[in-house]
Amino acid sequence: MTLLPLLLASALAPAGDGASSLEARFAPPALMTGADKPLGGTKMYPSPAAHDVDRDGKLDLVLGDLPGRITWSRRGTEGMEREQPFEKTDGTQLNFSNW
């Protein structure tokens, strides 16, 4: 037996309460906000990633969307800050133009 099937089998094995161990590991989804506004709320198919954009030692939230626009939210001292465009060095928004 290879390692992958063994890992999958152990991950899907029932927990003591009858639920799979996957169900026991994850909390319900929660809406993330920055400056009291939903992060990625206006995006079509938001794709989040965590990365320390500003190199302050805290993970920030980077969001891409279906058309290829990239935004980010800085993790401040009181939580996530407002979502803002991820800009290139010339000040224009990073856009991969998937269309």
Side-chain angles (χ1 to χ4, degrees), residues 14-27:
D17 60 359
S20 78
S21 59
L22 288 178
E23 292 171 329
R25 290 185 192 166
F26 297 102

Side-chain angles (χ1 to χ4, degrees), residues 11-69:
L12 296 175
D17 60 359
S20 78
S21 59
L22 288 178
E23 292 171 329
R25 290 185 192 166
F26 297 102
L31 180 65
M32 290 189 68
T33 58
D36 295 327
K37 293 188 178 181
L39 295 172
T42 60
K43 294 192 172 300
M44 183 184 300
Y45 301 106
S47 299
H51 181 74
D52 185 7
V53 175
D54 55 5
R55 298 182 183 175
D56 64 354
K58 295 181 260 181
L59 290 176
D60 306 306
L61 183 67
V62 179
L63 291 156
D65 65 2
L66 184 62
R69 294 178 298 260

Side-chain angles (χ1 to χ4, degrees), residues 65-83:
D65 65 2
L66 184 62
R69 294 178 298 260
I70 308 294
T71 57
W72 72 291
S73 176
R74 181 180 180 276
R75 182 182 302 273
T77 55
E78 297 182 21
M80 301 308 289
E81 296 179 358
R82 68 174 177 79
E83 189 175 350

